[in-house]
Each structure stands twice: as C-alpha cells, then as structure tokens.
Amino acid sequence: METTVADKRTTILATTLDLIAENGFHGTPMSQVAKRSGVSAGIIYHYFESKDDLIEALYRDIKARWSAAIMAGTPEALPYPEHLQQIWLNAYRFYVAHPQETVFLEQYENSPYPHDWSNVAQDDNMARLFALIQSDIDAGYIRALPLPVLHELTLGVAIGLAKHQINGVLDLDEAALEQTADACRRAIERETYD
Amino acid sequence: METTVADKRTTILATTLDLIAENGFHGTPMSQVAKRSGVSAGIIYHYFESKDDLIEALYRDIKARWSAAIMAGTPEALPYPEHLQQIWLNAYRFYVAHPQETVFLEQYENSPYPHDWSNVAQDDNMARLFALIQSDIDAGYIRALPLPVLHELTLGVAIGLAKHQINGVLDLDEAALEQTADACRRAIERETYD
Amino acid sequence: METTVADKRTTILATTLDLIAENGFHGTPMSQVAKRSGVSAGIIYHYFESKDDLIEALYRDIKARWSAAIMAGTPEALPYPEHLQQIWLNAYRFYVAHPQETVFLEQYENSPYPHDWSNVAQDDNMARLFALIQSDIDAGYIRALPLPVLHELTLGVAIGLAKHQINGVLDLDEAALEQTADACRRAIERETYD
Amino acid sequence: METTVADKRTTILATTLDLIAENGFHGTPMSQVAKRSGVSAGIIYHYFESKDDLIEALYRDIKARWSAAIMAGTPEALPYPEHLQQIWLNAYRFYVAHPQETVFLEQYENSPYPHDWSNVAQDDNMARLFALIQSDIDAGYIRALPLPVLHELTLGVAIGLAKHQINGVLDLDEAALEQTADACRRAIERETYD
DNA sequence: TATGAATGAGCATTCATTCAT
DNA sequence: GATGAATGAATGCTCATTCAT
C-alpha cells in the first residue's frame, strides 16, 4: 500500500507540528522535518513554497480543526446558557487533548510572524460562533462588550488554563471545570437587575 | 562623561528589548544588539554569558518591573474589592504603556525556552499579591479556586486585552475598562447568596 | 494535430535559447525549460543526454544557422572586394537580427565549458568561407595573415559592433555600416604599393 | 609577520580570480574560495557583501589595473601614430600577460550579470584615453567614427587576438604583432587623399 | 575593560537527474 | 514516448561565540 500524495503532505505537516511543539520554529530545521517524515529534504518544497509557507499552512490547518472542534455538537441547538457552556468546554477540551496544537498556536500567535487573518475570518465555524454570540447579545443575555473582550473573558481563559494543565501545574476535575466555565459565563452575562 | 558599567549593561538590555519586540528572538542577532547599543560584540559576553542568558536576564528585569507596577499604590491599604480593581488596572496599564515589554513577555513565555520560575516566586511584590489574594479567599470575598485559575480570570484577561489594544484592534475607554475590570471581579467573586 | 518529435526537440532548443539569452546558463534550470516548453522535465532527457548536451546541441544549431547566413547569396559569385563586403554585412545583420543567438554565442564561447571545435570545422559553409579567403590571399588581394587575425579584424569586429547595437549604445545607419565594413577590408587588404 | 587586513582582502580577490578563470562563476563555490585563500567561509562576508559583490569588486579591480596598463608610458607624449601603436600594444600585452584577467573580463562582460558602467567611466586613465582619441579625431588623423566602432576596430581586436593566443591557437611574433597593430591603425585612419 | 576580525557549524533552498507509472 | 514526484548533494549565507590585541 503506497503513501499517497495527500498522505505525504499530511505527514510533513504532522511531523512539523511534532517538532515545533517541542523545539520551536527555529529549533526545527527543514532537514529534521524531512528525516522524521521519511522523505527527502527537497520534496518538502514541492508541497510548500518555503519554511514560512509550511508553518503558515500548519497554522491554517490547526485553526480549522480547532474551529470545527469548538463548534462540534451544534451548540446552536442548545438554549442559553448551555450553548456557551458547551463551546467553552469544547475549546478547553480541544486544547488539553491537543497539547502540541495548543503550544504551536500560542507560539505562532505571539511570534513576530506576519499573520494573515483573512482565512480565519472566512471560516464557517467561526461565522457560526460570531452569529451565536451576536444573537445572545441581541437577546440581552450577555453584555454588549467588544468581541475581543468577550473572547478574552471566555475562550482566552480556556486556553490560558489549558496551558497550565499541559504544563502540569494545574489539574481541574470535571466539577472545577464546570465551575470555571460558569465563572466565564458570569463575567460576560448581563446582570438581571442591570 | 563616560558611560558607566551599569549604564552599558542597561543599554544592552534596552536595545535587546527593542530588537526582540520588533523582530523576535531569532530575528535579533547579537551583532545587531552590539551595533545598536554602540558597543562591541565581544563586550556583551562580559555582561551576559550567552544570548540565552541575556534574554533570561531581560525577562527577569521586565518581570520585576511588572510586579512592582501592578503592586504600586499599596493596594493592601484599600478595602475589597477596590484593591483588586486597582491591581487589575495597574496590570492593564502597565501592558498598554509598555508594548515592547508585553510583546517580549508573551513571546518568551510561549517559547520553548526553558523557563526558570524560581525567581518569579521569590519576588517580594508577587509575595504581597499572593498574600492579598489569600486573605480575600479567607475572608470569603473570592472563590477558593486554584491560583492559576484566578490568574487567568483576572490578569490573564488583562494581558490578552492589552495585546489587542497594542495591535490596534481594540480601544477601551475608561468606562469600558472599569466595566471589564468589574467583569473580572465578578468572575472570581463568591456570590453572596451562594 | 500533434506536436511531432522534431517539433518537440526544436521547441526545447528554442525555449532554452530564450531563457539562456535572458538569464544565462546557470539562471536557466531544466525545470523552467520544461515548463516553458510545455513538456515534462523527464522528456528532455530523451532528446538530450544532459543539460550540457542540450547547450552544446543548441550551440551547434546556432552555429550552423550562422554559417549559412553569412554565406548566403553565394558570395563566391561576386568579385573582390564585393564578396568580402557581402559576407561581413551578412554576419553583422545576422547578429543584429538574432540578438538572442548572439548573446548565447558570446556567453558560450567565453564560458569555461569545454568546447568541441571539430563540428565547426566540418561545416560546409565554413569550408566555403575558408576557401574564399585563401583564394583572396593567393590572388594577392589580402594579406597573408593567420586566419584568427583575419577573423578578428573582420567578423570579430562585426560581432563586437552588433553587441553594442543590441545593447542600444550604438546605432549605425546604412552608410556608417558600409563605411565600417570598408574599414575592416582596409585592415586586411594588401596595399597596392606594398 | 602577520597578514594584514588589506592582504586578506587581496588574497581573497586573487584566489577568486584563479578559480573563476579556471572554473567559471558557477564552478567556483565560496567554500572553495575560502579554503584556497586559507580563510574561513564566514570571513569573506566581512569583506564582501555577497558572492556577486565579490565578483563585481574583482571586476573593478581588474578593470582599473587594465586601464593603468594600457595608458602606461604616457602615450600622450608620443606623436601620432606612435601613441596609438603604444596603447594597442600595451593592451595586447596586458591581455597576454594576464590570461586569467582576460578570461575573467570576457566572461563577466558576456554574462547576464547586471553591469555597472559608472565606475569605468570615472576612471582617470580611461578619461586620458578618450581625450587622446578625441584630439586625434580633431587633428584629422583618424576618422570621426562612433567611439564603440573605434574601440572594436582596435582594442576589441587586441583582446580577440589575445584570447586566441591564450588558447594556444595563435602565436604572433614581434613583427606580426606590429603588423597587426598597424592593420588596426589603417582601419581607423583617415586616408590622406580623402 | 573593550574591540571586532575570525571561526565554522548549521540552515534554507535549489536543481540536475532518475524512475515508477 | 511521456510524466512529474522524488532524491540528495551542493551552495550561499548567517550568527553565536572566541580571542589576540
């Protein structure tokens, strides 16, 4: 059974993730990506224009898997605040279940690499998320705060906690997790007597 | 008037911060640090053992200035919840007023550099912060959540927002800021009817 | 209508000339020759043993077209000095009308490529040229100088001028051209009162 | 006795000339230049910005030595046509005595490298040459042909012949040489009965 | 202290050539 | 004949670090 083209590209991406999560962008030479992928150094350049292009492709790939994960289970079908709770838990669980992806994302987004956000904005799952948030604002459930603020108070907290968990300095059980998700909800929720 | 030793060391650190904030660790060769600092390449190695040591020294330096900044104004003298509010605003304002330091910190803490947390723990201001948090927990003001969780729900949010502000995708006015600080407080606050 | 074998070989040669004239031997990868020729990289190796072989074949091809061009119009039928004048003008006009060929020839002949002169010597048109020169020497029209000297004083001048014309730093009108051809004749002509 | 900085730069240039004359630009890796120069690969980049810069510097260096050589012996002090004769012989002898320089110059000037002619034009010796030519034109000794034409009919012939001599396909004795120089003179000379 | 020339291992990338299909 | 993915050695260049002065 032969390795198909798609497989080879995928293998290279997976290897790159492995290595970067462990050693960082600059601790990951292309030669090592090649060797660990079981391919020649040259062939990487058939699939990716450059090292930067490879990294960017990996970023897009992970981001797409992440957005699919957090919107899994059609949260729109749940009432408020259960859908928020589900999304938050989805995000947290994605991060904890995918430590390499998490480490990569944080490294990438805090690096001085020029980021191209256009792809993120075009993602269907992100569009669903934004629509849901907006409807919750319109319904008066959550405060009319700027999107980045809402993000930091919820998913931003999730990734921060996940990083601690990955580093082994934190271990939340199911109850603590729900309590924390709840804390995030409370942070953005419109108070009834407001 | 000669540049003193302390000045030269300080100059090197400042230059390094400039360059790393703009170009990242690996976009910042020692030769460039030397040239922009107005010193020779060799002399840097009198003050710092290696590039890694220089970066770590810079990290400690910034972290110390950060902890001093967030605990400025003796927040212990204020009652709950004002002291929390003040610390949160101090942190946020430090980040926004020091974008290079913020960018550096995030890059460093998300890099695969081996971090040595011992110094952070020994910082006096951090000790004061921890003590204050603990007393608020003991007094029943805030929830008995793990420290990393409390951190993410408060200062973690502050730096996340500051990064958005630095990137120009967010501009919080004073009212929005206090509202956000308030949201953080609510997230960790024990509900009275609990 | 299919592209025949001859056409494909010819297309590859033409493309190679295009690219080398513009970018030089080493600025012309085989992959680019393939792409621009509309063929696969592999097939080039059915027609040519190697890149060097391709370049040498191109050289021979151009050289043959060149020798045909300079001996066009059966100059042997003209009396001295008209036949020399015609050959010189033929050469000059070939160079100017074929700038890519000219650039290629000069690049090739001044490169450290191992040249094989045997083919040039076997060319019929060159044989005709040499015979004509020899008869002019025997007839006492031109000086008994070594062939390379006669060449440099005549056709060597033609290509040098053509390169200037190609580069746009010279523009000879018909009169100036004939005057120059005449200067070349004078350089090699036996003086009557000698 | 230490090798001085000037010596090292000069050594690198000389080595580069050696290698390029033998193997061409692309057959001359920087690593080989370094090894043969007895220096590290890196240090070359202290003296030259890039391989291209090294080659261009070598070109300028040779061109300056060439122009000094052809104008040696203050030809202006000699009457017409002796001064032309001297310059022509100077050029020819420079080429024959410096085969590597000759091969390099021809390779460089026929390569697709972007040439910068500004330096050549600013050369003092070239200015002297141009002035001398102009005065000969004004005095009615030589024809008012465009400079490139005069060049091809004289020095262009010299380098062409020198290349044949270097390749061993020609060996002019002193008499033949003067005869050839004379042929060049005749080519550009205004005929007295004109 | 201070300099900056020098080192040399390491890296991203290219490209002639091959070969399974 | 024809394809183009695959190879891997080779290349130009960088940069942390050293050391003679």
Side-chain angles (χ1 to χ4, degrees):
Chain A
M1 195 173 64
E2 280 295 293
T3 302
T4 70
V5 164
D7 281 346
K8 188 167 283 188
R9 210 192 107 105
T10 304
T11 301
I12 292 168
L13 283 172
T15 302
T16 303
L17 175 57
D18 270 16
L19 290 169
I20 289 182
E22 189 167 356
N23 307 313
F25 298 145
H26 297 280
T28 302
M30 294 296 265
S31 58
Q32 210 177 337
V33 172
K35 186 181 292 184
R36 188 117 128 205
S37 299
V39 301
S40 71
I43 199 61
I44 302 180
Y45 291 84
H46 270 274
Y47 295 102
F48 306 96
E49 284 192 354
S50 63
K51 187 176 182 182
D52 278 11
D53 183 47
L54 166 59
I55 289 172
E56 202 191 304
L58 180 54
Y59 177 70
R60 280 197 300 266
D61 180 65
I62 293 174
K63 206 72 184 180
R65 288 192 277 127
W66 170 81
S67 70
I70 66 166
M71 295 303 285
T74 56
E76 293 97 330
L78 293 174
Y80 181 88
E82 278 76 17
H83 55 228
L84 285 194
Q85 174 103 350
Q86 185 179 40
I87 290 169
W88 193 95
L89 288 171
N90 278 346
Y92 183 82
R93 283 173 179 142
F94 176 88
Y95 291 133
V96 169
H98 299 89
Q100 292 183 320
E101 279 83 348
T102 303
V103 165
F104 176 89
L105 286 177
E106 287 290 278
Q107 214 175 300
Y108 184 88
E109 294 183 348
N110 287 293
S111 78
Y113 268 82
H115 306 348
D116 181 7
W117 298 110
S118 55
N119 301 86
V120 176
Q122 288 167 358
D123 183 277
D124 276 351
N125 290 304
M126 291 312 282
R128 285 170 57 204
L129 175 59
F130 291 165
L132 194 54
I133 298 289
Q134 192 58 51
S135 76
D136 283 346
I137 292 173
D138 294 343
Y141 295 137
I142 62 180
R143 301 179 164 223
L145 293 166
L147 223 45
V149 175
L150 293 175
H151 176 255
E152 287 304 324
L153 287 166
T154 53
L155 300 186
V157 171
I159 197 168
L161 291 176
K163 287 195 287 180
H164 284 121
Q165 181 116 355
I166 288 168
N167 291 335
V169 301
L170 178 68
D171 191 7
L172 296 178
D173 60 22
E174 199 62 20
L177 207 53
E178 298 207 354
Q179 206 179 34
T180 309
D182 204 56
C184 291
R185 178 190 50 75
R186 234 175 317 132
I188 63 170
E189 195 166 66
R190 176 182 285 266
E191 297 173 57
T192 47
Y193 49 88
D194 230 0
Chain B
M1 195 172 66
E2 282 294 292
T3 302
T4 70
V5 165
D7 280 347
K8 190 168 281 188
R9 208 190 108 103
T10 304
T11 300
I12 292 167
L13 283 171
T15 301
T16 304
L17 175 57
D18 269 16
L19 290 169
I20 289 181
E22 190 167 355
N23 307 314
F25 298 146
H26 297 280
T28 302
M30 294 296 264
S31 58
Q32 210 178 338
V33 172
K35 184 182 291 183
R36 188 117 129 204
S37 299
V39 302
S40 73
I43 200 63
I44 300 180
Y45 289 84
H46 275 276
Y47 295 102
F48 306 96
E49 283 191 356
S50 64
K51 187 178 181 180
D52 279 9
D53 182 47
L54 165 60
I55 289 172
E56 203 191 304
L58 178 56
Y59 176 69
R60 281 196 300 266
D61 179 65
I62 293 174
K63 207 71 184 180
R65 287 192 276 128
W66 170 81
S67 70
I70 65 166
M71 295 303 284
T74 56
E76 294 96 331
L78 292 174
Y80 181 89
E82 278 76 16
H83 56 227
L84 284 193
Q85 173 103 350
Q86 185 178 43
I87 290 170
W88 193 95
L89 288 171
N90 278 346
Y92 183 81
R93 283 172 179 143
F94 176 87
Y95 292 132
V96 169
H98 299 88
Q100 293 183 321
E101 279 82 349
T102 303
V103 165
F104 176 89
L105 286 177
E106 286 290 279
Q107 217 174 295
Y108 184 88
E109 294 184 348
N110 287 293
S111 79
Y113 269 82
H115 306 347
D116 180 7
W117 298 109
S118 56
N119 302 86
V120 176
Q122 288 166 359
D123 183 277
D124 276 351
N125 290 304
M126 290 312 282
R128 286 169 56 204
L129 175 61
F130 291 165
L132 193 56
I133 298 289
Q134 193 55 52
S135 76
D136 283 345
I137 291 172
D138 294 344
Y141 294 137
I142 63 180
R143 300 176 164 225
L145 294 164
L147 221 45
V149 176
L150 293 175
H151 174 254
E152 287 305 324
L153 286 166
T154 52
L155 301 186
V157 171
I159 196 167
L161 291 177
K163 285 195 288 181
H164 284 121
Q165 182 117 355
I166 289 168
N167 291 334
V169 300
L170 179 66
D171 191 8
L172 297 179
D173 59 23
E174 197 60 21
L177 206 55
E178 300 208 351
Q179 206 180 36
T180 309
D182 203 57
C184 290
R185 179 190 50 75
R186 233 173 321 131
I188 62 170
E189 195 165 63
R190 175 180 286 266
E191 295 172 59
T192 48
Y193 49 88
D194 229 3
Chain C
M1 196 171 64
E2 281 293 293
T3 301
T4 70
V5 166
D7 280 348
K8 190 169 281 188
R9 209 190 107 104
T10 304
T11 300
I12 293 168
L13 283 171
T15 302
T16 304
L17 175 57
D18 269 17
L19 290 170
I20 289 182
E22 190 167 356
N23 308 313
F25 298 145
H26 297 280
T28 303
M30 293 296 264
S31 58
Q32 209 178 338
V33 172
K35 185 181 292 184
R36 189 119 126 202
S37 298
V39 302
S40 72
I43 200 62
I44 300 180
Y45 289 83
H46 273 275
Y47 296 101
F48 306 97
E49 284 191 354
S50 65
K51 188 178 182 181
D52 279 10
D53 183 46
L54 166 59
I55 288 172
E56 204 190 304
L58 179 54
Y59 177 70
R60 280 195 300 266
D61 179 65
I62 293 174
K63 207 69 183 182
R65 288 192 277 127
W66 171 81
S67 69
I70 64 166
M71 295 303 284
T74 56
E76 294 97 329
L78 292 174
Y80 181 89
E82 278 76 16
H83 55 227
L84 284 194
Q85 173 103 349
Q86 186 179 43
I87 291 170
W88 193 94
L89 288 172
N90 278 345
Y92 183 82
R93 282 172 180 142
F94 177 87
Y95 291 134
V96 170
H98 299 88
Q100 292 184 321
E101 280 82 349
T102 304
V103 165
F104 175 88
L105 286 177
E106 287 288 280
Q107 217 174 294
Y108 183 87
E109 295 183 348
N110 288 292
S111 79
Y113 268 82
H115 306 347
D116 181 6
W117 298 109
S118 56
N119 302 88
V120 175
Q122 287 167 359
D123 183 276
D124 276 350
N125 291 303
M126 290 313 282
R128 284 170 58 204
L129 175 60
F130 291 166
L132 193 55
I133 299 288
Q134 193 56 52
S135 76
D136 283 345
I137 292 172
D138 294 343
Y141 295 137
I142 62 179
R143 300 178 165 224
L145 294 164
L147 221 45
V149 176
L150 293 174
H151 175 255
E152 286 305 324
L153 286 166
T154 52
L155 301 186
V157 171
I159 197 168
L161 291 176
K163 285 195 287 180
H164 284 121
Q165 181 117 356
I166 289 168
N167 291 335
V169 300
L170 178 68
D171 192 7
L172 297 179
D173 59 23
E174 198 62 22
L177 206 54
E178 300 207 350
Q179 206 180 34
T180 309
D182 203 56
C184 291
R185 179 190 49 74
R186 234 175 316 131
I188 62 171
E189 195 166 65
R190 175 181 285 268
E191 295 173 57
T192 48
Y193 50 87
D194 231 0
Chain D
M1 196 171 65
E2 281 294 294
T3 301
T4 69
V5 164
D7 280 347
K8 188 167 281 189
R9 208 190 108 105
T10 304
T11 300
I12 292 168
L13 283 171
T15 301
T16 304
L17 175 57
D18 270 16
L19 290 169
I20 289 182
E22 189 168 357
N23 308 314
F25 298 145
H26 298 281
T28 303
M30 294 298 265
S31 57
Q32 209 179 337
V33 172
K35 185 181 294 184
R36 188 118 129 205
S37 299
V39 301
S40 72
I43 199 61
I44 301 180
Y45 291 85
H46 270 274
Y47 295 102
F48 306 97
E49 283 191 355
S50 63
K51 187 177 181 181
D52 278 12
D53 183 46
L54 166 60
I55 289 173
E56 202 191 305
L58 179 55
Y59 177 71
R60 280 197 300 265
D61 180 64
I62 293 175
K63 207 70 184 180
R65 288 192 277 126
W66 170 81
S67 70
I70 64 165
M71 295 303 285
T74 55
E76 294 97 329
L78 292 173
Y80 180 88
E82 278 75 17
H83 55 228
L84 285 194
Q85 173 102 349
Q86 186 179 41
I87 290 170
W88 192 94
L89 288 171
N90 278 345
Y92 183 81
R93 283 172 179 142
F94 176 88
Y95 291 133
V96 170
H98 299 89
Q100 293 183 321
E101 279 82 349
T102 303
V103 164
F104 176 88
L105 285 177
E106 287 289 280
Q107 215 174 299
Y108 184 87
E109 294 184 348
N110 287 293
S111 79
Y113 269 82
H115 307 346
D116 181 6
W117 298 110
S118 56
N119 302 86
V120 175
Q122 288 168 358
D123 183 277
D124 276 350
N125 291 303
M126 291 313 282
R128 284 170 58 204
L129 176 60
F130 291 164
L132 193 55
I133 299 288
Q134 193 57 53
S135 75
D136 284 345
I137 292 173
D138 294 344
Y141 294 138
I142 63 179
R143 302 179 163 222
L145 295 164
L147 222 46
V149 176
L150 293 174
H151 175 255
E152 286 305 323
L153 286 166
T154 53
L155 300 185
V157 171
I159 197 168
L161 291 177
K163 286 195 287 181
H164 283 120
Q165 182 118 355
I166 289 167
N167 291 335
V169 300
L170 179 67
D171 191 7
L172 297 178
D173 59 22
E174 197 62 21
L177 205 55
E178 299 207 351
Q179 206 179 35
T180 309
D182 204 55
C184 291
R185 178 188 52 74
R186 233 173 321 130
I188 62 170
E189 195 166 64
R190 175 182 286 266
E191 297 172 56
T192 48
Y193 50 87
D194 231 359

